[in-house]
Amino acid sequence: MYFSTVLTSRMALLGGIFDILGAFHHYAGKGGDPKKLNKKEVKELLAEQLGLAECECPSGQMDECLKSLDEDQDGEVDFCEFMPLLAGFTILIETEKEAPSTLLKGIQTIKKVFVDYASKEGDPSTLSKHEVKLLLQEQLYGEEKLDKAKADEHFKELDLDGDAQVDIVEYFVFLATLCTCINDLL
């Protein structure tokens, strides 16, 4: 079951995050640490969730990919190390097609949230301060009121390059942090 389809559209972002976490944890720990993916688990996740079979990659490229994800070189990939791979897919994935896997559905959902809010005013490839406030209020704060000072603080944290807008990369940096925090609570 996809969490993103169970939660209301006002909480789709959290549903997408839980889809991503659920897919990661489905594969993690089958052969060891339940919070990390070993080489076999990464390959299985890439094949089943993202359609990236090892036989489709040029010789050695899959191993290079795995090595680059494993920042601490412990032979396993934790959730934090896994996030850069998701960032690439978030930017590339289409939001209109039905996703064939839980992980792709989660990625698709978090990108769709960005696209939907960025399209409300101005440049459809970035979020304005107002769009960020709306996104945070509706997707994360819910019934709790997000006051202007807190919204401004969040926007300043999200706008990494200080250009008064949040692009898809800055949005994903925020989501990576949020996903990692939620993952640490599991």
Side-chain angles (χ1 to χ4, degrees), residues 170-181:
E170 291 167 319
Y171 170 75
F172 196 80
V173 168
F174 160 70
L175 287 179
T177 303
L178 184 60
C179 286
T180 301
C181 291

Side-chain angles (χ1 to χ4, degrees), residues 47-85:
E48 294 176 10
Q49 293 290 317
L50 300 177
L52 299 174
E54 187 172 10
C55 62
E56 296 171 359
C57 295
S59 180
Q61 203 167 34
M62 181 67 82
D63 287 335
E64 279 302 310
C65 175
L66 297 175
K67 193 182 283 186
S68 70
L69 289 175
D70 186 13
E71 288 181 17
D72 60 9
Q73 301 301 305
D74 67 353
E76 297 181 304
V77 176
D78 64 26
F79 190 75
C80 203
E81 293 169 326
F82 182 66
M83 291 306 294
L85 179 69

Side-chain angles (χ1 to χ4, degrees), residues 31-185:
D33 188 333
K35 292 195 174 216
K36 295 183 176 186
L37 299 166
N38 63 30
K39 187 176 181 177
K40 180 182 176 198
E41 293 163 344
V42 171
K43 288 179 178 183
E44 191 177 322
L45 181 147
L46 292 175
E48 294 176 10
Q49 293 290 317
L50 300 177
L52 299 174
E54 187 172 10
C55 62
E56 296 171 359
C57 295
S59 180
Q61 203 167 34
M62 181 67 82
D63 287 335
E64 279 302 310
C65 175
L66 297 175
K67 193 182 283 186
S68 70
L69 289 175
D70 186 13
E71 288 181 17
D72 60 9
Q73 301 301 305
D74 67 353
E76 297 181 304
V77 176
D78 64 26
F79 190 75
C80 203
E81 293 169 326
F82 182 66
M83 291 306 294
L85 179 69
L86 293 185
F89 275 92
T90 301
I91 292 167
L92 296 174
I93 196 167
E94 295 180 39
T95 58
E96 296 79 32
K97 295 180 180 175
E98 184 64 31
S101 71
T102 303
L103 183 61
L104 284 175
K105 180 69 174 176
I107 294 169
Q108 192 177 52
T109 299
I110 63 174
K111 183 170 183 181
K112 185 172 180 346
V113 168
F114 177 86
V115 169
D116 288 350
Y117 282 88
S119 300
K120 291 189 182 287
E121 59 187 49
D123 184 351
S125 65
T126 62
L127 295 165
S128 67
K129 185 183 267 191
H130 181 253
E131 290 165 334
V132 167
K133 183 178 184 206
L134 277 173
L135 185 152
L136 293 172
Q137 179 65 61
E138 294 175 1
Q139 295 294 321
L140 298 176
Y141 277 79
E143 298 298 317
E144 183 184 336
K145 180 80 170 125
L146 174 61
D147 64 41
K148 182 180 178 349
K150 193 70 170 167
D152 289 347
E153 182 182 328
H154 286 313
F155 185 80
K156 189 175 179 181
E157 291 167 353
L158 286 164
D159 183 17
L160 299 174
D161 60 8
D163 65 353
Q165 55 192 359
V166 174
D167 63 26
I168 188 81
V169 174
E170 291 167 319
Y171 170 75
F172 196 80
V173 168
F174 160 70
L175 287 179
T177 303
L178 184 60
C179 286
T180 301
C181 291
I182 292 171
N183 183 62
D184 290 346
L185 295 173

